[in-house]
Amino acid sequence: MSEKQFEQLVRRLETYAQTHPTRYKLKVALVAALGYAYVLAVLGLALGVGTWLILSLKDGGTHLSSVKLLFGLGVLAAIILRAFWVRFTPPAGYEVYREDAPRLFLLIDKLTTALGTPPFHHVLIVNDLNAAVAQRPRLSIFGWYQNYLLLGLPLMLAMTPAQFRAVLAHEFGHLGHSHGRFSGWIYRTRMVWSRLLEELRAHDHWRSVLFTKFLDRYAPFFNAYSFVLARAQEYEADRQAARLVGPHAMKDALASLQIIARLMDELYWPALNRRTITNPAPPASHLDELITVLQQVTPQDSIQKWMHDAMQQTTTYADTHPALADRLAALDQLPEKPNAPEPPADFPHLRDPHETTAANYYLDAHATATREALDRSWAESVADEWHHKHEEMAAARARCQALSDKSATVGLSIDELWEYACQMEALESDRAALPLLQQLLMKAPNHAAANLAVGRLLLAQDDQAGLQYLEKALTTDRDAVIPACQLASSYLERRGNHKESMRYRVKAQRRRQQLLEAESERRAIKPGDPFEPHGLSADIVEGLAGQLASKPEVQAAYLVRKKVQTPTAVPCYALIVIPQRAWYELDTESSNQALQEKLTATLNLPEETYILVADQLMKHRWVNTLKAIPQSAVLSAHTTAS
C-alpha cells in the first residue's frame, strides 16, 4: 500500500468513524480478527487434512502416496508453528528496583492506581529522550504480556519532576482502563503485528514466508483501519494525564519536550560529534556533557523560534501522534483543576539550571549509579565507530590542508572543490563549506550534489533561497529527488506553507514507489525472465571465476544481464549459482541462504549484481535456460571438479 493509498483510506475511515462510530469499531474488530484467522486457518487446514488422511489410511489400507502427503502435511504444520512462534526480544536497559528508587515507584503506584494501568514487571532506564510502555507477548500474538516501563534518563535530566510526571501519566494512559478493553486490545494488537513482521523480516528464514507475504499486505491494511482509533487514543491519553496533573501542566510538558529535542539537535549532538575530531575515544560520560548543555541558559528568542516552528507543523498520516498545535488546542478545552497554582509566565517552561531534575528527584541517591551505568554502556557501544570517525577526521584534516595549498597555487578541479567543501563542513561548519560550494556552482551550475548541499545549508539558516537550489538538484539528478523533497517539505511545514509541503511529499513518495518497483523487479530473478549476455570485460569475468573456484560449495555459476523496465540505463546483472549438494540433502533452503550471504560478503562483484542460489528442484531448468545465453558460464561443473 502506497502512502497516498494509505492516506486516502484513513481519510475515508475518519469520516465513517464520525458518522458511524459503532460500525467503525466493528470493522476494526473484524480486520483485527482476520490476522488471527489466517494463522489458525493455515494451521487448521494442515492439521485437518492430516487427520483425514490418518482416518483414510486406517479404513482403507496403506497407500504410499497418502503416506507421503501425510508426511508433507506434518512437516508443513511444524513449519507453521516454528515460523509463527516468534520470540520477541525484550527491551534493553538498566533495571531499577523499588529499593533503589522509592519515590519513582511511589509515583508509578499512584499512576497505576489512578489510571487502571496493569502492573509493570520491569522498570528500565534507557538512553533516550523518551518515556514509553512496552508489552512483550510471551505467547506471540495470543498475548500473556510482560509489561515494561522504559524511562529515558536524558528526558529525566532535562525535565522538572512535574513535567516528567505529566509525560509518564500520558504513557500510563495508553494501558489504562479509560481506553476500554476493546481499544486496549487494538492498541496491543497494532504493536504486536508490527513487531511480529519486524522479527520475521529480521530472521528472514524460508519458514517465515507464509507469514511475511501475508503480513506485508495485512499489516498496512490493519494499521489504516485502526489508525483513527489509535489517534483518538493519543488524545484520550492526554486527557487522562491532564485529569491528574492539570491541563496546563500537560501542555507545558508536551511543549517543553519539543523544545528539549530541538535543543539537543542544535547544541548537544553537534558539540558531541565535533569531539571526534580531537578525541580518539568517546568521553567517559556523554550524559555529563548533556548536563552541561542543559545548565546553560537558552536564549528566549531561540525558545520562541523553536516553539513557532513546532506550532507550524500539522497533523499528518505519517504517525498516529497529532501535531503539537492540535494537542494543545484539545487540552485548552479542558477545565483546570480546582486550586491549581498559577502557571508560570514563560511558556514553555524550560527547567531552570538551579531547579531539581526529575532524575535527581525520582532516582535520588541512585541517580549517579544509573548515569554511570548508562555512560559505560554507551561508550562501549560507540567505541569502534568513534575511533573510526576520529581516523576519518584526521585524514580529512590532512586532505583539507593539501587542498588548501593547491587552491592557493594552481586551483582546484570540480571534484576537488566538492571534496574540499564536504571535508570543511565535517571539520568546521556549514558556514565554512558554503563559500566553497558556491564557488563550485559558478563553475558547474548543474552539479546536483552541490545544489542539494547549498539548498540544505541555506534552509538551515532560514534562507528561502535554498529552495531554488533544491529544485535544481532534483531536476538534474533523480537520486536527489527524495532528499531534496524531504528538506523542502520540512522547511515549508515549519513555515506554515502546508500546501507546498504536501506537493514535495507527494513527489518524494512517487519516487520511492518507483524505486521499490525497480528493486522488486531486479530482485525477483527466475528462469522465465528475459536475459541477455552480460557484456562485461574478460578481466572482470576471469576475476569472478577465480573467486568462485575457491568456493567448494559452488558447483557452477552463470552471469547474465536481466532486461528490466526501469531504469533501463542501469544494468541488472544476475549471478546464478548452482550449489554443490548431495542428492540426499533435503533442507537445502537454509543452506542456500547461508551460501548466498557468504558470497555477497566475500565476492568482488560489479555494481547492480544480484546473487541467486538455485535450489535442487530448479537446478536443471536454470542450467538449460542459461546455457542458451552466450558467454554466460563463469564457472562450470567440470572446472570445479578439476
Side-chain angles (χ1 to χ4, degrees):
M1 185 183 297
S2 68
E3 182 179 345
K4 185 177 181 180
Q5 291 171 325
F6 181 87
E7 288 189 10
Q8 289 173 342
L9 178 55
V10 173
R11 287 179 189 276
R12 290 199 300 271
L13 290 168
E14 281 179 329
T15 304
Y16 188 81
Q18 290 174 356
T19 54
H20 306 288
T22 304
R23 292 182 187 176
Y24 163 71
K25 287 185 177 181
L26 177 61
K27 285 192 173 186
V28 174
L30 291 173
V31 174
L34 175 63
Y36 295 93
Y38 172 82
V39 175
L40 295 175
V42 174
L43 181 59
L45 179 63
L47 295 177
V49 174
T51 303
W52 175 76
L53 280 173
I54 291 173
L55 295 175
S56 300
L57 291 173
K58 182 179 177 181
D59 295 338
T62 302
H63 300 282
L64 182 60
S65 59
S66 297
V67 172
K68 287 183 176 179
L69 180 58
L70 180 61
F71 175 76
L73 288 168
V75 172
L76 176 61
I79 287 171
I80 293 169
L81 288 173
R82 287 184 64 183
F84 178 68
W85 205 258
V86 173
R87 290 179 59 87
F88 288 92
T89 306
Y94 180 80
E95 187 159 6
V96 292
Y97 303 93
R98 188 172 294 272
E99 58 270 22
D100 298 328
R103 279 183 181 169
L104 175 62
F105 279 82
L106 180 60
L107 172 63
I108 292 171
D109 291 342
K110 287 181 177 179
L111 293 177
T112 298
T113 302
L115 295 169
T117 306
F120 291 96
H121 302 96
H122 302 278
V123 178
L124 305 179
I125 308 298
V126 295
N127 214 343
D128 296 322
L129 187 73
N130 193 19
V133 294
Q135 292 189 300
R136 174 175 169 259
R138 286 170 282 196
L139 295 180
S140 194
I141 64 169
F142 294 107
W144 192 27
Y145 294 100
Q146 199 171 33
N147 300 321
Y148 291 80
L149 177 60
L150 310 179
L151 305 176
L153 188 56
L155 181 74
M156 299 180 75
L157 290 169
M159 283 192 150
T160 67
Q163 291 169 340
F164 176 73
R165 188 161 55 247
V167 172
L168 210 55
H170 170 89
E171 295 302 327
F172 278 47
H174 279 301
L175 298 182
H177 55 61
S178 62
H179 278 333
R181 291 183 179 273
F182 175 73
S183 295
W185 173 57
I186 294 298
Y187 180 80
R188 289 189 292 270
T189 303
R190 279 176 62 90
M191 292 192 296
V192 170
W193 280 121
S194 177
R195 286 196 61 193
L196 179 64
L197 183 56
E198 289 177 9
E199 292 285 341
L200 291 174
R201 281 175 173 166
H203 289 88
D204 196 24
H205 199 279
W206 64 276
R207 296 186 183 96
S208 305
V209 70
L210 282 168
F211 297 102
T212 51
K213 294 293 185 185
F214 168 73
L215 286 175
D216 279 336
R217 292 181 175 274
Y218 171 75
F221 189 70
F222 174 62
N223 283 339
Y225 260 80
S226 57
F227 190 93
V228 180
L229 187 62
R231 175 159 289 169
Q233 289 172 339
E234 292 296 337
Y235 285 115
E236 179 61 24
D238 281 348
R239 281 194 292 271
Q240 292 303 317
R243 180 173 62 84
L244 296 181
V245 302
H248 183 84
M250 192 66 221
K251 288 169 58 181
D252 182 58
L254 293 174
S256 296
L257 186 56
Q258 293 270 355
I259 302 305
I260 293 166
R262 188 72 181 269
L263 176 69
M264 292 183 69
D265 288 342
E266 297 275 346
L267 300 178
Y268 170 66
W269 289 116
L272 189 64
N273 290 332
R274 281 195 295 272
R275 294 193 60 173
T276 60
I277 300 173
T278 55
N279 296 6
S285 176
H286 78 295
L287 289 171
D288 281 348
E289 303 262 334
L290 175 60
I291 292 171
T292 301
V293 171
L294 293 173
Q295 285 178 337
Q296 298 170 358
V297 178
T298 306
Q300 192 62 32
D301 57 346
S302 295
I303 294 175
Q304 293 304 318
K305 175 183 177 300
W306 297 340
M307 186 64 184
H308 176 268
D309 290 347
M311 292 295 287
Q312 290 300 316
Q313 295 177 5
T314 56
T315 298
T316 67
Y317 297 98
D319 185 11
T320 56
H321 286 82
L324 178 63
D326 291 333
R327 296 178 77 174
L328 298 184
L331 290 168
D332 280 335
Q333 307 303 314
L334 302 179
E336 189 57 72
K337 291 179 65 178
N339 303 319
E342 283 293 322
D346 55 329
F347 179 82
H349 170 66
L350 283 191
R351 185 185 64 82
D352 186 272
H354 302 292
E355 286 185 86
T356 301
T357 68
N360 288 335
Y361 184 81
Y362 286 113
L363 298 177
D364 200 19
H366 206 65
T368 302
T370 305
R371 192 167 75 241
E372 289 174 351
L374 289 182
D375 273 328
R376 284 194 301 271
S377 176
W378 176 83
E380 291 171 3
S381 67
V382 303
D384 291 340
E385 182 183 355
W386 186 286
H387 182 69
H388 178 69
K389 185 72 173 177
H390 174 73
E391 291 182 336
E392 284 185 346
M393 292 296 99
R397 281 200 306 272
R399 181 59 177 157
C400 276
Q401 186 60 53
L403 291 170
S404 177
D405 294 342
K406 185 176 180 181
S407 176
T409 54
V410 297
L412 301 177
S413 66
I414 298 298
D415 290 341
E416 288 171 331
L417 270 171
W418 170 244
E419 181 187 6
Y420 193 14
C422 292
Q423 303 284 24
M424 285 299 292
E425 183 180 3
L427 287 170
E428 301 292 340
S429 66
D430 54 354
R431 295 188 183 278
L434 194 55
L436 295 171
L437 290 167
Q438 291 169 332
Q439 182 183 345
L440 187 160
L441 289 176
M442 290 179 65
K443 295 183 176 182
N446 292 327
H447 195 288
N451 276 293
L452 182 63
V454 171
R456 170 174 56 83
L457 297 178
L458 289 178
L459 292 188
Q461 299 174 13
D462 281 331
D463 187 343
Q464 191 171 349
L467 293 174
Q468 301 172 8
Y469 291 92
L470 295 183
E471 281 287 345
K472 192 68 172 289
L474 64 86
T475 54
T476 53
D477 185 1
R478 298 179 71 182
D479 290 339
V481 171
I482 293 176
C485 288
Q486 288 175 332
L487 288 166
S489 176
S490 178
Y491 172 80
L492 290 166
E493 194 70 28
R494 292 197 305 270
R495 302 272 76 75
N497 192 340
H498 308 307
K499 183 178 180 180
E500 276 298 291
S501 174
M502 176 59 72
R503 184 175 70 85
Y504 280 107
R505 281 182 55 208
V506 169
K507 187 177 293 188
Q509 175 59 23
R510 192 179 300 125
R511 177 60 180 158
R512 285 192 199 96
Q513 192 63 32
Q514 291 172 352
L515 292 175
L516 285 173
E517 291 171 358
E519 183 68 11
S520 177
E521 180 188 21
R522 288 161 183 268
R523 285 193 177 278
I525 301 170
K526 50 190 182 297
D529 288 340
F531 295 114
E532 60 185 352
H534 53 72
L536 295 167
S537 68
D539 290 342
I540 292 176
V541 177
E542 289 173 8
L544 182 56
Q547 297 174 68
L548 289 167
S550 65
K551 306 284 191 291
E553 313 97 311
V554 178
Q555 182 185 65
Y558 300 84
L559 182 65
V560 292
R561 178 168 173 167
K562 179 179 176 178
K563 297 178 182 178
V564 292
Q565 298 296 319
T566 57
T568 55
V570 180
C572 175
Y573 301 112
L575 178 66
I576 294 88
V577 173
I578 309 299
Q580 186 73 48
R581 298 276 186 259
W583 65 270
Y584 54 81
E585 289 189 71
L586 297 177
D587 185 18
T588 60
E589 194 72 31
S590 56
S591 301
N592 288 352
Q593 183 177 351
L595 177 57
Q596 181 178 353
E597 291 172 355
K598 178 181 178 181
L599 295 176
T600 302
T602 57
L603 293 180
N604 184 18
L605 296 168
E607 289 188 18
E608 302 297 332
T609 300
Y610 297 85
I611 301 175
L612 175 74
V613 179
D615 59 33
Q616 294 283 62
L617 295 176
M618 298 292 290
K619 179 172 70 173
H620 298 294
R621 186 180 175 190
W622 269 118
V623 171
N624 293 334
T625 299
L626 296 169
K627 278 185 175 179
I629 301 172
Q631 302 175 339
S632 63
V634 176
L635 186 73
S636 58
H638 70 272
T639 305
T640 308
S642 64

XYZ file of all heavy atoms in Angstrom, residues 545-584:
312
model
N 35.529 -15.616 -11.817
C 35.688 -17.068 -11.904
C 36.729 -17.563 -10.909
O 36.555 -18.614 -10.273
C 36.087 -17.463 -13.325
N 37.826 -16.813 -10.766
C 38.850 -17.199 -9.802
C 38.338 -17.189 -8.375
O 38.665 -18.073 -7.570
N 37.525 -16.190 -8.047
C 36.953 -16.127 -6.701
C 36.002 -17.300 -6.444
O 36.022 -17.908 -5.376
C 36.193 -14.817 -6.511
C 37.047 -13.559 -6.600
C 36.192 -12.305 -6.542
O 35.588 -11.991 -5.516
N 36.131 -11.579 -7.644
N 35.179 -17.630 -7.450
C 34.210 -18.707 -7.279
C 34.881 -20.077 -7.218
O 34.405 -20.982 -6.522
C 33.197 -18.674 -8.422
C 32.201 -17.506 -8.391
C 31.464 -17.393 -9.717
C 31.202 -17.683 -7.250
N 35.983 -20.242 -7.945
C 36.670 -21.533 -7.960
C 37.207 -21.911 -6.588
O 37.406 -23.101 -6.291
C 37.809 -21.498 -8.977
N 37.430 -20.926 -5.740
C 37.946 -21.207 -4.391
C 36.840 -21.569 -3.412
O 37.111 -21.805 -2.235
C 38.710 -19.988 -3.868
O 37.833 -18.882 -3.694
N 35.603 -21.610 -3.890
C 34.464 -21.924 -3.027
C 34.004 -23.357 -3.308
O 33.360 -23.620 -4.324
C 33.306 -20.947 -3.289
C 33.668 -19.464 -3.174
C 33.801 -19.053 -1.740
C 33.898 -17.540 -1.577
N 35.144 -16.952 -2.081
N 34.322 -24.294 -2.413
C 33.944 -25.692 -2.662
C 32.431 -25.912 -2.671
O 31.961 -26.920 -3.194
C 34.595 -26.444 -1.486
C 34.823 -25.414 -0.429
C 35.066 -24.136 -1.150
N 31.655 -24.968 -2.093
C 30.191 -25.130 -2.073
C 29.553 -24.810 -3.413
O 28.366 -25.032 -3.607
C 29.565 -24.208 -1.023
C 30.248 -24.227 0.339
C 31.220 -23.068 0.469
O 32.036 -22.875 -0.456
O 31.158 -22.357 1.490
N 30.354 -24.248 -4.369
C 29.811 -23.827 -5.660
C 30.160 -24.861 -6.714
O 31.339 -25.143 -6.969
C 30.363 -22.445 -6.061
C 29.837 -22.047 -7.430
C 29.979 -21.400 -5.015
N 29.136 -25.422 -7.349
C 29.355 -26.398 -8.423
C 29.513 -25.713 -9.777
O 30.381 -26.068 -10.565
C 28.168 -27.363 -8.475
C 28.313 -28.460 -9.536
C 27.063 -29.301 -9.637
O 26.007 -28.794 -10.024
N 27.172 -30.576 -9.289
N 28.679 -24.715 -10.027
C 28.730 -23.972 -11.286
C 28.136 -22.590 -11.047
O 27.412 -22.364 -10.075
C 27.966 -24.704 -12.389
N 28.444 -21.660 -11.960
C 27.931 -20.295 -11.829
C 27.777 -19.670 -13.204
O 28.604 -19.907 -14.103
C 28.847 -19.448 -10.956
N 26.725 -18.884 -13.360
C 26.418 -18.220 -14.625
C 26.156 -16.742 -14.357
O 25.509 -16.381 -13.367
C 25.185 -18.857 -15.276
C 25.348 -20.321 -15.594
C 25.116 -21.284 -14.621
C 25.746 -20.736 -16.860
C 25.270 -22.634 -14.890
C 25.892 -22.085 -17.151
C 25.658 -23.030 -16.161
O 25.822 -24.372 -16.446
N 26.658 -15.915 -15.273
C 26.464 -14.471 -15.147
C 25.758 -13.961 -16.396
O 26.244 -14.152 -17.523
C 27.810 -13.761 -14.980
C 27.746 -12.240 -14.786
C 27.046 -11.892 -13.476
C 29.148 -11.639 -14.811
N 24.608 -13.301 -16.197
C 23.829 -12.760 -17.313
C 23.337 -11.371 -16.927
O 23.498 -10.931 -15.789
C 22.625 -13.672 -17.659
C 23.085 -14.993 -18.225
C 21.744 -13.879 -16.426
N 22.737 -10.708 -17.893
C 22.122 -9.407 -17.644
C 20.623 -9.535 -17.865
O 20.176 -10.004 -18.916
C 22.707 -8.341 -18.570
C 22.073 -6.966 -18.400
C 22.849 -5.894 -19.111
N 22.154 -4.598 -19.100
C 22.715 -3.440 -19.437
N 23.989 -3.407 -19.819
N 22.018 -2.317 -19.402
N 19.856 -9.129 -16.871
C 18.404 -9.202 -16.974
C 17.877 -7.934 -17.629
O 18.293 -6.828 -17.281
C 17.786 -9.369 -15.580
C 16.265 -9.428 -15.575
C 15.713 -9.608 -14.171
C 14.184 -9.558 -14.175
N 13.610 -9.767 -12.826
N 16.965 -8.099 -18.568
C 16.323 -6.956 -19.199
C 15.239 -6.425 -18.253
O 14.312 -7.155 -17.900
C 15.690 -7.353 -20.532
C 16.689 -7.844 -21.566
C 15.980 -8.269 -22.851
C 16.959 -8.803 -23.879
N 16.264 -9.253 -25.120
N 15.375 -5.176 -17.835
C 14.447 -4.592 -16.870
C 13.713 -3.415 -17.507
O 14.181 -2.813 -18.478
C 15.187 -4.133 -15.593
C 15.722 -5.335 -14.827
C 16.310 -3.168 -15.923
N 12.571 -3.084 -16.910
C 11.745 -1.993 -17.429
C 12.239 -0.628 -16.955
O 12.273 0.328 -17.723
C 10.290 -2.196 -16.968
C 9.665 -3.484 -17.479
C 9.538 -3.513 -18.987
O 9.175 -2.517 -19.610
N 9.862 -4.648 -19.582
N 12.623 -0.529 -15.660
C 13.060 0.755 -15.107
C 14.179 0.532 -14.112
O 14.121 -0.428 -13.318
C 11.898 1.459 -14.372
O 11.392 0.591 -13.353
C 10.792 1.845 -15.328
N 15.156 1.421 -14.054
C 15.534 2.268 -15.191
C 16.394 1.445 -16.144
O 17.311 0.738 -15.720
C 16.334 3.397 -14.532
C 16.918 2.773 -13.308
C 15.967 1.704 -12.857
N 16.112 1.529 -17.418
C 16.794 0.682 -18.404
C 18.270 1.023 -18.539
O 19.076 0.174 -18.931
C 16.116 0.831 -19.776
O 16.084 2.232 -20.123
C 14.700 0.303 -19.737
N 18.656 2.257 -18.213
C 20.057 2.656 -18.359
C 20.950 2.020 -17.299
O 22.164 1.918 -17.484
C 20.174 4.178 -18.286
N 20.372 1.606 -16.176
C 21.156 0.982 -15.102
C 21.095 -0.525 -15.291
O 20.010 -1.118 -15.278
C 20.601 1.371 -13.717
C 21.413 0.723 -12.610
C 20.604 2.888 -13.566
N 22.243 -1.196 -15.472
C 22.221 -2.632 -15.739
C 21.764 -3.430 -14.526
O 21.866 -2.976 -13.383
C 23.682 -2.948 -16.080
C 24.466 -1.896 -15.367
C 23.609 -0.657 -15.413
N 21.257 -4.619 -14.783
C 20.876 -5.544 -13.723
C 21.545 -6.881 -14.020
O 21.095 -7.638 -14.882
C 19.358 -5.702 -13.659
S 18.819 -6.949 -12.464
N 22.653 -7.146 -13.338
C 23.387 -8.390 -13.539
C 22.872 -9.444 -12.569
O 22.596 -9.152 -11.400
C 24.883 -8.179 -13.326
C 25.495 -7.153 -14.253
C 25.956 -5.942 -13.759
C 25.586 -7.393 -15.617
C 26.512 -4.984 -14.599
C 26.130 -6.444 -16.472
C 26.587 -5.240 -15.958
O 27.123 -4.303 -16.808
N 22.750 -10.669 -13.052
C 22.290 -11.784 -12.222
C 23.366 -12.864 -12.219
O 23.751 -13.372 -13.279
C 20.981 -12.340 -12.759
N 23.853 -13.193 -11.033
C 24.809 -14.289 -10.865
C 24.031 -15.468 -10.289
O 23.630 -15.440 -9.125
C 25.943 -13.882 -9.924
C 26.983 -14.966 -9.625
C 27.776 -15.314 -10.884
C 27.935 -14.532 -8.510
N 23.813 -16.484 -11.122
C 23.061 -17.662 -10.681
C 24.062 -18.748 -10.331
O 24.880 -19.158 -11.172
C 22.071 -18.153 -11.754
C 20.966 -17.105 -11.977
C 21.430 -19.464 -11.339
C 21.272 -16.060 -13.001
N 24.011 -19.190 -9.092
C 24.968 -20.165 -8.574
C 24.277 -21.511 -8.409
O 23.194 -21.595 -7.816
C 25.538 -19.689 -7.216
C 26.409 -20.767 -6.587
C 26.325 -18.402 -7.400
N 24.906 -22.552 -8.947
C 24.433 -23.926 -8.742
C 25.255 -24.505 -7.594
O 26.469 -24.678 -7.721
C 24.610 -24.793 -10.005
C 24.017 -24.079 -11.234
C 23.985 -26.156 -9.798
C 22.540 -23.801 -11.145
N 24.632 -24.790 -6.437
C 25.414 -25.244 -5.282
C 25.837 -26.702 -5.394
O 25.209 -27.494 -6.110
C 24.445 -25.038 -4.120
C 23.098 -25.196 -4.727
C 23.195 -24.666 -6.135
N 26.885 -27.032 -4.703
C 27.358 -28.416 -4.624
C 26.605 -29.101 -3.487
O 26.840 -28.813 -2.313
C 28.868 -28.444 -4.351
C 29.490 -29.826 -4.391
C 29.589 -30.360 -5.817
O 30.053 -29.666 -6.733
N 29.130 -31.581 -6.016
N 25.680 -29.958 -3.823
C 24.858 -30.606 -2.813
C 24.806 -32.117 -3.057
O 24.821 -32.575 -4.213
C 23.428 -30.070 -2.846
C 23.317 -28.596 -2.535
C 23.274 -28.349 -1.039
N 23.031 -26.938 -0.766
C 23.964 -26.065 -0.423
N 25.225 -26.470 -0.281
N 23.665 -24.798 -0.205
N 24.718 -32.872 -1.967
C 24.493 -34.311 -2.070
C 23.024 -34.564 -2.400
O 22.144 -33.779 -2.037
C 24.865 -35.001 -0.758
N 22.754 -35.647 -3.093
C 21.391 -35.915 -3.551
C 20.398 -36.079 -2.410
O 19.207 -35.814 -2.551
C 21.376 -37.185 -4.416
C 21.737 -38.440 -3.644
C 22.979 -38.967 -3.464
C 20.831 -39.293 -2.924
N 22.930 -40.092 -2.686
C 21.615 -40.324 -2.348
C 19.446 -39.297 -2.710
C 21.062 -41.332 -1.572
C 18.901 -40.307 -1.948
C 19.706 -41.311 -1.379
N 20.900 -36.514 -1.243
C 20.011 -36.805 -0.129
C 19.733 -35.587 0.759
O 18.964 -35.685 1.713
C 20.593 -37.930 0.725
C 22.017 -37.661 1.193
C 22.264 -36.851 2.301
C 23.095 -38.212 0.505
C 23.558 -36.592 2.711
C 24.389 -37.957 0.910
C 24.622 -37.151 2.017
O 25.904 -36.893 2.416
